Amino acid sequence: MTLRVGVIGTGNIGADHVRRIAAGIAGAVVSAVTDVDTARAEEVGRSVGATVCADGRALIAAAEVDAVIIASPSKTHAALTLACISAGKPVLCEKPLAPTTKECIEVLDAEVALGRRLVQVGFMRRYDSGYRAVKAALTDGLIGQPLILHNVHRNPTVPASFSSDMTITDAIIHEIDTTRWLLGEEIVSAQVIPPAPTPLAHPHLQDPQFVVFRTERGLLSTVECFVNCQYGYDVRCELVGSTGTASLVNPVVAAVTLEGADRAAVPADWRVRFGAAYHAELQDWVNGLLNGVVRGPNAWDGYAATRVAQAGVESATSGERVALDSIPKPALYA
Ligand code: NAD
Ligand code: ISE
């Protein structure tokens, strides 16, 4: 059987997913696309022979769509995910599941009422070989007891439309998920501490941002997120344990030895750095669906990450540490 995938939003990541599925994901084809920018949808659709649907709802309802990828802006995610659940179609929703916990709870409620899991959230770092090696070092007992996780997340630049809240809800949300996943426990508080700002960011933006998360067992996870670092896309992570540390190694994309020095190129953007992880995420999603299961990061993970991000936004405003509460975890996500 071939899984027929419909993609909503053919911008940066949507077009990337379309290309990736067409070029090398076994067992799947892109059968339909849609975008409010119709010319863009037509161009991307034409490149892979996919139908262009009028809007997200038409795509979700289309007979030629078995499963949906949502790659439109974050504020559209919850409503489109709810429409997929109503239609009984599996959905890979890009992160975040929604910018607010209220919307995430609506998605949880709808899935629980349906009684089966259809939603996967695009936390693709869980599929990155570097992050997996860090996790394996911990679970294999190589570094003793986990104590502190240090994270760095740098983008060369962002557009003027990118806000300080989005640094937390759209960028740091990746570190929130990797913290929960690597350490296997929930985050219980968040504090945002603003460093001196770079002169090279748009004036409305606090950049960089620095956050300290504390987990249930008192572990710390720190995140420096700098979205105008200029020099490239740089994601780092070091897990400090009681007997050693495990670190993510930034993959070398090209190296030049010249004039007595080695120069290793930094990835240009997330497409380059995490290309293999996006591939693994999509292939695992398709393989699972062909066997009737959704097994990646689920709607609970989406809710759990957004509630922490929302606390971060609150802390950025107040300057205070924000303690988190949580709704009970439904049995569907046990
Ligand atoms: P983008 O602006 O490049 O693309 C979004 C596209 O959606 C645009 O073409 C826009 O015209 C279209 N669009 C807007 N409203 C729509 C609607 N209602 N229906 C259909 N199409 C609509 O943005 P992007 O960088 O591709 O990000 C899209 C989403 O993917 C965001 O939620 C972002 O957080 C997520 N993302 C995830 C990763 C990752 O590493 N997992 C990387 C990049 C982006
Ligand atoms: C973007 O939306 C992503 O998800 C990238 O992975 C992340 O690095 C970037 O900061 C976000 O804006």
Side-chain angles (χ1 to χ4, degrees):
M1 184 197 157
T2 299
L3 188 78
R4 298 167 304 168
V5 178
V7 178
I8 302 175
T10 51
N12 290 320
I13 188 102
D16 202 57
H17 285 330
V18 168
R19 269 192 299 273
R20 209 173 284 285
I21 292 171
I25 296 297
V29 293
V30 179
S31 56
V33 296
T34 188
D35 197 297
V36 289
D37 181 342
T38 315
R40 189 158 174 74
E42 278 168 1
E43 185 191 334
V44 174
R46 201 178 314 117
S47 70
V48 296
T51 307
V52 177
C53 295
D55 58 26
R57 285 176 191 280
L59 180 141
I60 292 164
E64 70 267 30
V65 170
D66 302 317
V68 177
I69 293 178
I70 299 173
S72 44
S74 306
K75 64 176 192 279
T76 67
H77 290 184
L80 291 166
T81 302
L82 286 168
C84 291
I85 295 171
S86 294
K89 293 197 180 176
V91 53
L92 172 57
C93 177
E94 263 310 333
K95 41 59 59 178
L97 178 56
T100 66
T101 49
K102 181 174 168 290
E103 293 166 291
C104 291
I105 290 170
E106 286 167 14
V107 172
L108 290 176
D109 287 348
E111 236 187 3
V112 168
L114 184 73
R116 65 195 170 99
R117 283 170 21 185
L118 291 177
V119 179
Q120 177 163 331
V121 181
F123 287 129
M124 83 302 163
R125 289 191 184 181
R126 296 185 183 202
Y127 293 91
D128 176 69
S129 56
Y131 275 107
R132 287 187 169 216
V134 171
K135 188 168 171 65
L138 177 65
T139 53
D140 292 350
L142 298 181
I143 58 169
Q145 301 241 347
L147 304 172
I148 304 171
L149 188 64
H150 297 289
N151 301 280
V152 169
H153 183 164
R154 300 187 187 131
N155 294 67
T157 55
V158 286
S161 56
F162 201 89
S163 66
S164 299
D165 285 1
M166 284 170 76
T167 301
I168 302 171
T169 60
D170 278 58
I172 294 175
I173 196 133
H174 280 297
E175 278 74 22
I176 295 172
D177 182 64
T178 47
T179 296
R180 297 181 58 249
W181 172 74
L182 277 173
L183 301 177
E185 55 190 278
E186 295 296 344
I187 292 169
V188 296
S189 74
Q191 181 163 21
V192 177
I193 304 161
T198 169
L200 299 178
H202 297 285
H204 65 271
L205 196 65
Q206 167 60 49
D207 191 37
Q209 300 258 30
F210 190 82
V211 191
V212 180
F213 296 117
R214 189 177 282 279
T215 70
E216 286 165 311
R217 284 189 296 155
L219 315 186
L220 291 186
S221 174
T222 67
V223 188
E224 174 222 297
C225 188
F226 186 11
V227 296
N228 287 281
C229 80
Q230 311 295 315
Y231 68 84
Y233 184 75
D234 193 4
V235 169
R236 306 178 190 189
C237 163
E238 181 182 21
L239 177 55
V240 181
S242 53
T243 60
T245 83
S247 298
L248 203 59
V249 178
N250 221 346
V252 172
V253 288
V256 176
T257 303
L258 195 67
E259 296 167 351
D262 288 334
R263 296 181 197 163
V266 178
D269 62 20
W270 40 266
R271 288 178 195 81
V272 180
R273 167 63 183 84
F274 286 113
Y278 294 117
H279 185 96
E281 171 195 49
L282 289 170
Q283 189 65 70
D284 187 59
W285 181 61
V286 168
N287 291 350
L289 291 185
L290 292 175
N291 288 300
V293 288
V294 182
R295 57 193 179 197
N298 58 38
W300 177 261
D301 296 311
Y303 157 77
T306 290
R307 80 188 238 287
V308 177
Q310 224 179 284
V313 170
E314 201 183 317
S315 171
T317 309
S318 68
E320 303 293 322
R321 186 175 69 87
V322 174
L324 281 143
D325 52 14
S326 171
I327 59 168
K329 191 176 191 173
L332 186 63
Y333 307 104

